[in-house]
Amino acid sequence: MAAARLSSPGGVLTSAMSSTPSTQPSRESRATSRSQKSNLGIVTPDRLTPSRTPDTSSVGRPKSSASMVSSRHIPLVRLKAVTDTDLGLAQGVQFKTMDLNGIIKLLEEGGKGDFEEKQLQSIRMMVQCYQNGFPLRDLAHIFKIMSLCSKLIKNQPAYLDIVCDILKLCRLPFLKKKTSDEVTYAKEISGAVPLLGDLLQIPSSELRIQLCKCIVDFYHAEPLKKQIAGYQQVTSAYKIQMIQTGGLAETLVLSWNLLQNELLEKLWLLKTLQHLSTSEVNCNLMIKAQAANKICSCLNNPDPSGQLLFRSSEILWNLLERSSKEEIIKQLSNLKCLLALKEVFKNLFTRGYRHYDRQLRNDILVITTIIAQNPGAPMIESGFTRDLILFATFNEVKSKDPLVKGLKLSNSYEDFELKKLLFNVIVILCRDLPTVQILIEGKTVEALFTYVKKIERHKVIEWSAAQLEELQLHAIATLASVAPLLIDDYLACNGNSRILMFLEWCVNEETFFSQGNSFHGTGGRGNKFAQLRYTLRLLRAMVSLSNEVVNQDLFDQGAIKQLIGILKSAVYTFKEEAIVLEIKSDILLILSCICENHIHRKEAFGTEGVDIVLHLMKVDPKKFQSGLGHNRLLFSTLDCLWCCILGCYTLEDYFLEKEGIFLLLDLLALNKKNFCNLILGIMVEFCDNPKTSVHVNTWRGKKDQTAANLLIKLWREEEKILGVKRDEDGKIIDAKKPLITSFQEDQKIIPMPASCPTTSIMEVSENIRAKIYAVLGKLDFENLPGLSAEDFVTLCVIHRYLDFKIGEIWNEINEEIRVEQFRPVSADKETLEAITEASENIGKMVVALQNEMVESQRNQDMNSEQKDYMKIHATHKQRDMANKSWGKYLARTSNSKALKKTKKLQEKAIESSRAKGQLQNAIVHSTDIKGLNVTVPTSKVVTVESTPVCLLGGPLADTDIALKRLPVRGGALQRVVKTEDKPKEGRHL
């Protein structure tokens, strides 16, 4: 109990339970315990102040109660607030700082002997102080100290170890005391970061490797092993941001040449640049330092580990993805880089056997393909073009070149991708015309034509069915780019015959399960549409050359009939989708190229082709917005109409008989700007046929619109778009320049050679006004139905279009002479003035005619308005008379005096109308009806005897049915009608 009572309020027990030395704690442990408890505000036994110290001899012996009471003491406790820092010290390691400015000053002063030793000692103390990482506030000073030490390494190698030790500490996470430290010290740190890159200039392998490891660790920071009191770890993202803003990547690339002969150091630098190239900012800085050129030129350097090639290709890929592709292509388009790429690719192609080697080989080929897009790249000079074509064709065409002797591709995914990449690079290489000769030597067309055939599923092949189908489509697509450049090779391989045979297989009913997985196989799953599409593209590319040998060979082999048969199936059988619409368009364009300017080929097109064209012209306007390709199909249809029908009179007459002109005008009435020019061009050609004008004048559109009205309306809309000046009535404003557009007004006169067309000449082909003039001109500008006064005003301008255009061109000539400051001779000057005056007089004459038409129309409108007014006036007068008559009637029915007065007037009028004299022996009948109280003329009174109810069945009975009944007494129903002059009892009608 005594021991319990001696316990202090703070919870410290002051009783000594043991007196042996072995149980007493040491001095140091007790002092430490007291210090810690004091810091936490805990009262230790040393701070108790009892009035009497307990006698040691009494320990263990019982005391009296009085003695116990007198020894009781309540201790005085001093409380202290516990802060976060105190808790941090209790939980982590206390951080000590140093005077870094003093160290920098000490290093800048220099010196030797004891002074140098003092420098080393202070720096070692600094390293020891920052064993757990550098705080952000000191980081700029640390980098400065490293830079100063690096300058002293040459004279004192001891500084090398110090710099390496500092770099090792830089690999630790940086520390921040406040969250705002990242923003506060960002500018200082980013300014000091380039000092790290300068360390590469020191010829020390250990230092360079340590620097690269330090930078790499910026991207892979590990958490602190010891928690620093009051500090937090900075994220890797902040480190990376400081590297970017500090421009360290550019500094490292500029030091590349210093490591040419040091493989290990170069590999570490490549690893560092590989990490840095994951940022767009760093990639741009690296490109600025010519990183692509420097790295690519060293691709073929010896490296047993293989890391150099791998990391270099990764860096090049990152640069291509995250920086300017044009600048990289420019840096790589030199002989040294291409030779390095060539050797690397050849080695990987011929000797690589691992999965990794094949992937790296394909990556190098993609980079080469990107470089080949630059026409200035020395691909041919480096011999790379020849090797690429050889590698692309050696599997299909036997070659004696030792480079490919014994080579064979497998059906692995990497080799399959390689084959497609080689096809792709051929397409890019053939854009450079000097490559054509190498393509001929490599038998490229022959190799590609090996795929233009039916796929034999039962033969043992090196590719799977899906792979072979994709390669087939890719090869045909490649042929579409290569074959037009190698026409002789194309004909030597019987290209037309192979294509037509393959087309026949594409449309036959033989079962073929297409995979349709690739880009080229889009839309062709489960059918042959993909093969048909790319074969037609190939054929279209060949016929578009307008080579008479190729086109005649196609005609001789019956290509027109075969294509029309395929087109007929596509139009009437195939489901309407994007790939089918493209097939239709390509067939129409091929037929246009074959039949153009050849009457006998147009005759082979025949009425069957005309029927298909007419069917395609009946397109629903709503489909133009579907996005499937109906616009392109209509363009191809109109082009086929122009090239395959126009010029052949039998087909033209058949087209007219089938109301083809009506369909053309229907399309023109849609007012689609894309089609108007082409349709009007066809109309101009068709109007040469004398039967066309009747069809044009017969056509009627919506709201009974005529063709002439439609053409004039299009003219007005075109002039509105071109900015031609017209008044509100459509009349000419400037008689000197009646056709000038806003663009021509803004365009200054620029003297040009006589062979160059002027703005006025170019304007004719850029809008539809000339074509509208030609169509209306072939309709003779007379007896055009359905025109309004506004149309006639516009027609005056159209009628004089050619005269106005001639005057406009002469005005241009005159202006060019003035700008060039030439003075024509008197005769030429008089001629120019006469032409200008005549053109202006024509404009004034047209303006006068337009004014006359407008005035005549206004007078006609006034007369029409006056007639309408007279009709309205007569209507109102008649209405007033009816109102007056109704008023008198109401007065007679409601006022007896008015009724009597009216009656007297009526009798007086009747009396005055009778003859004054009477004939002898004449009988005079009274015309008055007794008891009639009306003042209107009366008619005869008819008395009808009612039919008995028993016969009719009542007043609501069906009279027609009642009349069909037989009378009770026999005979027909009878009605007695009597006419009397005097009223009798009965029913009045």
Side-chain angles (χ1 to χ4, degrees):
M1 295 295 293
R5 285 196 295 270
L6 286 175
S7 179
S8 67
V12 179
L13 188 63
T14 60
S15 174
M17 300 302 295
S18 177
S19 61
T20 58
S22 61
T23 59
Q24 296 297 324
S26 64
R27 183 187 305 173
E28 292 80 3
S29 63
R30 289 198 299 269
T32 304
S33 176
R34 285 197 301 270
S35 175
Q36 292 177 354
K37 293 178 181 179
S38 176
N39 288 334
L40 294 175
I42 302 175
V43 179
T44 62
D46 296 338
R47 295 190 180 184
L48 296 175
T49 56
S51 57
R52 185 188 305 170
T53 305
D55 190 359
T56 56
S57 61
S58 63
V59 175
R61 294 183 302 175
K63 296 183 180 180
S64 64
S65 60
S67 176
M68 294 296 294
V69 172
S70 63
S71 63
R72 290 183 62 187
H73 176 72
I74 300 175
L76 178 64
V77 180
R78 186 176 63 181
L79 298 177
K80 178 182 177 183
V82 182
T83 63
D84 294 340
T85 304
D86 295 331
L87 292 174
L89 289 171
Q91 295 176 3
V93 180
Q94 186 175 3
F95 189 81
K96 297 180 181 179
T97 60
M98 291 190 65
D99 182 15
L100 298 180
N101 289 322
I103 298 175
I104 293 173
K105 186 177 180 181
L106 191 65
L107 289 171
E108 288 177 345
E109 290 178 356
K112 294 183 179 180
D114 295 339
F115 194 79
E116 190 175 89
E117 187 64 28
K118 185 178 179 181
Q119 291 175 343
L120 292 172
Q121 185 178 0
S122 61
I123 297 172
R124 289 192 183 101
M125 290 176 62
M126 180 198 73
V127 172
Q128 186 66 27
C129 178
Y130 293 103
Q131 281 297 313
N132 296 310
F134 296 116
L136 292 180
R137 68 171 182 270
D138 298 335
L139 200 57
H141 295 85
I142 299 295
F143 289 167
K144 178 69 174 176
I145 291 170
M146 258 199 308
S147 177
L148 293 173
C149 290
S150 64
K151 296 177 182 178
L152 302 175
I153 292 176
K154 185 176 181 181
N155 299 325
Q156 179 53 268
Y159 285 100
L160 178 62
D161 295 335
I162 293 177
V163 174
C164 291
D165 291 340
I166 296 175
L167 287 174
K168 290 178 182 178
L169 294 179
C170 288
R171 297 170 64 179
L172 298 175
F174 296 149
L175 306 173
K176 61 180 178 180
K177 196 167 187 179
K178 301 177 183 178
T179 305
S180 60
D181 285 355
E182 294 184 355
V183 180
T184 304
Y185 302 108
K187 189 173 182 180
E188 287 184 40
I189 297 172
S190 61
V193 162
L195 298 176
L196 290 175
D198 295 337
L199 297 178
L200 281 178
Q201 299 178 6
I202 300 173
S204 170
S205 177
E206 181 185 358
L207 178 60
R208 290 170 176 173
I209 293 173
Q210 195 62 46
L211 174 62
C212 293
K213 289 181 179 180
C214 174
I215 299 173
V216 170
D217 283 345
F218 282 3
Y219 288 82
H220 307 286
E222 295 182 358
L224 289 171
K225 296 180 180 179
K226 297 182 180 180
Q227 187 66 28
I228 308 300
Y231 286 87
Q232 297 177 354
Q233 179 178 338
V234 176
T235 61
S236 296
Y238 181 76
K239 288 184 174 183
I240 296 171
Q241 183 182 358
M242 292 300 100
I243 291 176
Q244 293 175 0
T245 55
L248 181 61
E250 183 179 3
T251 308
L252 295 179
V253 174
L254 291 174
S255 304
W256 174 266
N257 294 331
L258 300 174
L259 313 179
Q260 285 296 331
N261 299 323
E262 302 295 336
L263 178 60
L264 184 59
E265 299 170 18
K266 187 184 293 185
L267 291 177
W268 270 105
L269 181 57
L270 283 173
K271 183 177 181 180
T272 306
L273 293 176
Q274 182 181 352
H275 283 80
L276 293 174
S277 63
T278 56
S279 164
E280 183 177 347
V281 176
N282 287 335
C283 286
N284 291 329
L285 292 171
M286 292 167 66
I287 288 299
K288 186 178 177 182
Q290 301 290 314
N293 184 15
K294 293 178 179 180
I295 293 173
C296 184
S297 60
C298 299
L299 282 177
N300 201 32
N301 288 2
D303 174 28
S305 66
Q307 291 188 40
L308 188 145
L309 182 57
F310 167 72
R311 299 195 185 280
S312 299
S313 62
E314 283 293 318
I315 294 171
L316 291 176
W317 263 113
N318 291 337
L319 293 176
L320 286 168
E321 290 177 353
R322 295 179 174 89
S323 60
S324 173
K325 185 181 291 185
E326 292 75 14
E327 181 62 27
I328 296 174
I329 293 175
K330 184 178 178 182
Q331 291 186 20
L332 298 179
S333 297
N334 58 75
L335 193 60
K336 187 176 181 181
C337 290
L338 287 173
L339 286 173
L341 286 170
K342 171 191 169 185
E343 293 302 321
V344 169
F345 182 75
K346 283 170 59 178
N347 291 335
L348 291 172
F349 194 96
T350 56
R351 301 174 185 175
Y353 61 91
R354 297 173 297 177
H355 178 75
Y356 160 77
D357 294 334
R358 292 170 180 170
Q359 285 186 331
L360 193 56
R361 173 198 63 191
N362 293 351
D363 291 344
I364 296 296
L365 182 55
V366 173
I367 295 173
T368 305
T369 304
I370 295 174
I371 299 173
Q373 296 176 3
N374 181 16
M379 294 290 295
I380 298 176
E381 293 83 348
S382 64
F384 209 173
T385 299
R386 177 186 172 278
D387 290 346
L388 289 173
I389 294 174
L390 175 64
F391 290 143
T393 59
F394 81 95
N395 231 22
E396 292 78 19
V397 180
K398 299 300 179 182
S399 175
K400 297 181 180 179
D401 196 301
L403 192 61
V404 294
K405 186 177 181 180
L407 277 180
K408 188 175 182 181
L409 297 178
S410 65
N411 60 355
S412 64
Y413 177 77
E414 286 73 24
D415 285 351
F416 174 62
E417 287 293 321
L418 171 69
K419 195 66 178 178
K420 294 194 295 181
L421 289 172
L422 289 171
F423 283 162
N424 186 54
V425 78
I426 288 176
V427 174
I428 295 174
L429 290 174
C430 71
R431 298 173 185 172
D432 190 14
L433 291 181
T435 311
V436 172
Q437 184 60 37
I438 304 177
L439 292 172
I440 295 173
E441 294 173 359
K443 300 180 181 180
T444 308
V445 174
E446 182 182 352
L448 293 173
F449 259 116
T450 58
Y451 292 92
V452 187
K453 61 182 180 180
K454 173 185 175 182
I455 298 178
E456 300 290 343
R457 301 180 62 86
H458 301 293
K459 287 187 177 181
V460 178
I461 56 177
E462 58 186 358
W463 306 108
S464 66
Q467 289 176 336
L468 184 58
E469 179 193 350
E470 189 170 348
L471 289 177
Q472 181 188 58
L473 295 173
H474 207 146
I476 298 173
T478 306
L479 263 177
S481 299
V482 176
L485 301 174
L486 308 173
I487 298 178
D488 293 338
D489 288 7
Y490 174 83
L491 294 173
C493 293
N494 296 320
N496 287 335
S497 301
R498 291 190 178 190
I499 291 174
L500 294 178
M501 291 175 62
F502 190 66
L503 281 176
E504 185 177 354
W505 173 79
C506 289
V507 296
N508 64 21
E509 297 181 357
E510 182 180 344
T511 304
F512 178 75
F513 297 100
S514 173
Q515 303 297 322
N517 296 324
S518 64
F519 167 79
H520 296 90
T522 304
R525 188 173 185 83
N527 51 52
K528 306 173 188 175
F529 286 167
Q531 285 80 2
L532 182 58
R533 171 172 57 183
Y534 280 98
T535 308
L536 289 172
R537 283 186 184 180
L538 169 59
L539 192 58
R540 187 190 68 192
M542 296 307 301
V543 298
S544 62
L545 298 173
S546 299
N547 186 287
E548 188 58 31
V549 177
V550 175
N551 292 351
Q552 184 62 39
D553 183 51
L554 284 170
F555 176 70
D556 294 341
Q557 296 190 43
I560 294 178
K561 291 298 182 182
Q562 184 176 348
L563 290 172
I564 289 176
I566 298 173
L567 180 60
K568 190 174 182 180
S569 299
V571 170
Y572 298 110
T573 306
F574 296 166
K575 182 181 178 181
E576 192 172 80
E577 49 187 342
I579 188 171
V580 175
L581 293 178
E582 183 181 348
I583 289 171
K584 296 177 187 176
S585 301
D586 287 342
I587 293 175
L588 290 168
L589 291 174
I590 294 169
L591 290 170
S592 301
C593 294
I594 296 176
C595 296
E596 188 176 11
N597 301 325
H598 291 83
I599 299 296
H600 57 287
R601 297 180 189 174
K602 294 180 180 181
E603 292 174 351
F605 185 75
T607 57
E608 186 178 8
V610 177
D611 289 334
I612 296 175
V613 170
L614 290 169
H615 178 81
L616 293 174
M617 289 174 64
K618 299 174 183 177
V619 60
D620 185 0
K622 296 179 181 178
K623 293 183 178 180
F624 291 137
Q625 309 299 329
S626 65
L628 295 177
H630 287 90
N631 291 284
R632 182 187 174 192
L633 178 59
L634 183 56
F635 268 119
S636 303
T637 303
L638 294 174
D639 185 65
C640 183
L641 168 60
W642 198 327
C643 297
C644 299
I645 297 176
L646 284 173
C648 181
Y649 297 126
T650 55
L651 297 184
E652 284 185 9
D653 292 344
Y654 185 78
F655 183 81
L656 292 173
E657 290 175 8
K658 295 294 183 178
E659 300 180 350
I661 288 295
F662 292 173
L663 295 176
L664 272 177
L665 291 171
D666 288 339
L667 293 173
L668 187 63
L670 297 176
N671 198 11
K672 297 287 184 180
K673 298 300 179 183
N674 299 333
F675 303 122
C676 285
N677 210 334
L678 183 56
I679 294 173
L680 287 170
I682 295 172
M683 291 288 296
V684 172
E685 297 292 334
F686 250 115
C687 286
D688 290 336
N689 191 320
K691 300 178 182 178
T692 304
S693 58
V694 178
H695 289 262
V696 173
N697 290 327
T698 305
W699 177 83
R700 291 295 180 270
K702 292 181 178 179
K703 297 181 181 179
D704 205 30
Q705 185 183 30
T706 62
N709 175 261
L710 173 62
L711 293 171
I712 294 172
K713 181 181 177 182
L714 291 174
W715 176 284
R716 284 197 295 267
E717 291 178 357
E718 186 72 10
E719 286 195 333
K720 186 177 180 180
I721 295 173
L722 295 174
V724 181
K725 293 182 178 179
R726 297 283 186 264
D727 64 5
E728 58 184 7
D729 295 322
K731 297 183 295 183
I732 296 173
I733 294 179
D734 188 358
K736 294 182 180 179
K737 300 177 180 179
L739 299 177
I740 293 295
T741 64
S742 58
F743 173 77
Q744 289 176 279
E745 284 186 343
D746 298 336
Q747 187 75 17
K748 295 181 180 179
I749 298 297
I750 302 174
M752 291 185 294
S755 59
C756 297
T758 62
T759 307
S760 298
I761 299 298
M762 295 295 294
E763 184 266 342
V764 174
S765 60
E766 290 175 352
N767 57 69
I768 61 175
R769 291 193 293 179
K771 293 182 176 64
I772 293 175
Y773 165 77
V775 173
L776 291 175
K778 292 185 178 182
L779 297 177
D780 294 333
F781 289 105
E782 296 179 0
N783 301 323
L784 298 176
L787 298 184
S788 62
E790 184 182 10
D791 294 336
F792 280 111
V793 170
T794 307
L795 189 62
C796 294
V797 181
I798 300 175
H799 184 62
R800 289 291 184 174
Y801 172 78
L802 187 59
D803 297 329
F804 289 152
K805 181 56 67 174
I806 292 173
E808 181 183 320
I809 294 171
W810 278 109
N811 285 334
E812 267 192 352
I813 295 172
N814 201 4
E815 287 294 323
E816 286 187 12
I817 292 174
R818 183 182 61 79
V819 171
E820 293 179 358
Q821 297 181 355
F822 287 122
R823 189 175 66 181
V825 297
S826 300
D828 291 342
K829 185 176 181 180
E830 291 176 0
T831 303
L832 284 173
E833 291 176 354
I835 293 172
T836 304
E837 184 179 358
S839 176
E840 187 175 351
N841 290 336
I842 292 174
K844 292 178 179 178
M845 181 183 67
V846 172
V847 171
L849 181 60
Q850 287 179 326
N851 289 330
E852 182 181 348
M853 288 182 176
V854 172
E855 190 64 29
S856 175
Q857 181 63 29
R858 286 177 181 171
N859 293 334
Q860 185 178 352
D861 292 341
M862 288 293 293
N863 293 334
S864 177
E865 185 178 348
Q866 190 66 27
K867 290 180 181 179
D868 293 339
Y869 174 75
M870 293 300 294
K871 290 180 180 179
I872 294 171
H873 181 70
T875 302
H876 279 280
K877 185 176 181 180
Q878 187 68 24
R879 189 178 299 164
D880 291 341
M881 292 174 64
N883 290 337
K884 289 179 181 179
S885 176
W886 178 250
K888 291 179 181 179
Y889 174 75
L890 290 178
R892 292 197 303 269
T893 57
S894 60
N895 191 343
S896 60
K897 293 181 178 180
L899 181 61
K900 292 178 181 180
K901 184 179 179 181
T902 304
K903 179 66 176 177
K904 290 179 180 180
L905 290 174
Q906 183 184 22
E907 291 176 350
K908 185 177 180 181
I910 293 172
E911 189 63 28
S912 62
S913 66
R914 290 175 177 171
K916 300 300 181 181
Q918 294 183 355
L919 298 175
Q920 293 181 356
N921 302 325
I923 300 174
V924 180
H925 299 278
S926 176
T927 58
D928 294 336
I929 302 173
K930 301 301 182 179
L932 187 64
N933 296 322
V934 294
T935 55
V936 293
T938 58
S939 61
K940 295 181 179 181
V941 179
V942 180
T943 302
V944 179
E945 292 184 358
S946 299
T947 306
V949 178
C950 63
L951 296 179
L952 297 180
L956 299 179
D958 187 350
T959 305
D960 294 335
I961 298 175
L963 291 175
K964 293 177 183 178
R965 297 176 182 173
L966 293 176
V968 178
R969 298 179 181 179
L973 296 175
Q974 297 179 359
R975 289 183 181 178
V976 180
V977 181
K978 294 182 179 180
T979 303
E980 297 182 357
D981 294 335
K982 295 181 180 181
K984 294 184 179 180
E985 294 181 358
R987 183 175 297 173
H988 298 280
L989 296 177

